[in-house]
Amino acid sequence: MPCYGKRFSSLLLGLLLLSVLASGWAADISVRNPNLSAGDDGYTLAADFNINLNARLDEAIARGITLYFVVDFELSRSRWYWLDEQVISRSQTYQLSYHALTRQYRLSSGALHQSFASLDDAQRILSRLRNWQVLDKGSIKVDQTYLAAVRMRLDLSQMPKTFQVNALANRDWNLSSDWARWNFTPVETAPFTATGTPTLAAPGVDAK
C-alpha cells in the first residue's frame, strides 16, 4: 500500500507540474488604462495591452508567418425603449513579422512601420496604442454619457488560406482580450493638437 501511495502522489505532482507549465505558456491579451482625449478634430484613443504569446506563436513568427493584430473600438449609447445604439465602430490592424534576411522584426500599420532587433522590443511597442482618432468632431453630443469599449485580437482571417484551417482548429491561436468598457461623457474643454494617427513609436523614438 505505501508503494501505491507514493506512486499516486508522484502522479499527482507530475500532473500539477504539467498544469503549471501549460498555464505558463498560455497566450493571452489584456487591456489596461483605456482613455479618450479631446483633440482639435475629435477624440483620440490611448490604451495599454499586456500581450503574452505562447511557444507556437513565437515559432510561427520565427518561420516568417505574419501575425495580424486588430484593435477594435466601439462607442454605444443606451436607450431605455430599445436596444443600445451603436454610435461608432472602428478597427485598426497591426502586422507583426520577422525578416530572416535582416534578422529583424517588423511592426507595421498602413504606411507606418518600425524594425526591431528582438521580438520583445516589437511587442513592447505593439502594447502601447496612442493618438488613434476614433471620434470626429461633432459626431457625439456634449454632456451625454456613452459606453466606450476596446479590445485587441489576433485576426486569423487575414492569414494565408492554407494556414487558416490548422490555425482555426488549434486553440493556441485563439488569442483575444476581453472588451474593456468604460463610461465616457464628452465635455467642452480647451483642445490640444493631436495627429489622429495611431502611434507605433514609443516616446522619443522615431518611426523608420
Side-chain angles (χ1 to χ4, degrees):
M1 289 296 293
C3 180
Y4 286 109
K6 289 182 180 179
R7 289 180 179 178
F8 184 69
S9 298
S10 299
L11 178 60
L12 286 179
L13 180 59
L15 292 175
L16 178 61
L17 289 174
L18 286 175
S19 175
V20 171
L21 289 174
S23 63
W25 283 98
D28 66 83
I29 304 176
S30 59
V31 187
R32 297 183 295 111
N33 308 319
N35 180 60
L36 288 169
S37 300
D40 287 339
D41 300 319
Y43 286 85
T44 60
L45 175 67
D48 297 319
F49 302 94
N50 289 325
I51 305 172
N52 298 309
L53 304 181
N54 55 32
R56 188 180 297 275
L57 296 178
D58 286 345
E59 180 185 1
I61 296 175
R63 289 170 53 192
I65 298 173
T66 300
L67 299 185
Y68 296 84
F69 290 88
V70 178
V71 179
D72 298 314
F73 171 78
E74 292 184 355
L75 190 75
S76 59
R77 182 173 62 89
S78 61
R79 296 183 293 191
W80 65 269
Y81 58 90
W82 197 244
L83 299 176
D84 290 353
E85 175 192 8
Q86 186 174 76
V87 179
I88 195 73
S89 177
R90 296 185 184 276
S91 296
Q92 181 71 31
T93 300
Y94 299 93
Q95 302 175 35
L96 179 60
S97 59
Y98 176 70
H99 295 260
L101 186 62
T102 60
R103 295 184 179 181
Q104 289 190 319
Y105 295 86
R106 171 174 285 197
L107 187 61
S108 308
S109 180
L112 180 66
H113 66 268
Q114 281 185 271
S115 296
F116 304 89
S118 71
L119 179 58
D120 286 342
D121 290 340
Q123 283 186 232
R124 190 175 300 112
I125 301 305
L126 178 62
S127 68
R128 290 172 52 85
L129 175 66
R130 298 293 183 271
N131 297 334
W132 181 20
Q133 184 172 315
V134 291
L135 297 171
D136 296 330
K137 188 175 181 180
S139 61
I140 52 178
K141 299 178 181 179
V142 175
D143 295 331
Q144 182 165 317
T145 300
Y146 297 85
L147 180 63
V150 62
R151 70 173 178 180
M152 177 184 279
R153 57 187 171 87
L154 180 63
D155 187 4
L156 300 179
S157 67
Q158 299 191 52
M159 302 179 70
K161 296 295 183 182
T162 54
F163 192 81
Q164 288 183 29
V165 176
N166 292 330
L168 289 170
N170 195 315
R171 66 178 184 178
D172 287 347
W173 292 86
N174 296 328
L175 185 58
S176 177
S177 72
D178 293 330
W179 284 97
R181 305 180 188 276
W182 72 102
N183 289 328
F184 168 64
T185 305
V187 295
E188 292 287 356
T189 59
F192 60 88
T193 301
T195 63
T197 302
T199 303
L200 292 177
V205 178
D206 296 328
K208 297 180 181 180

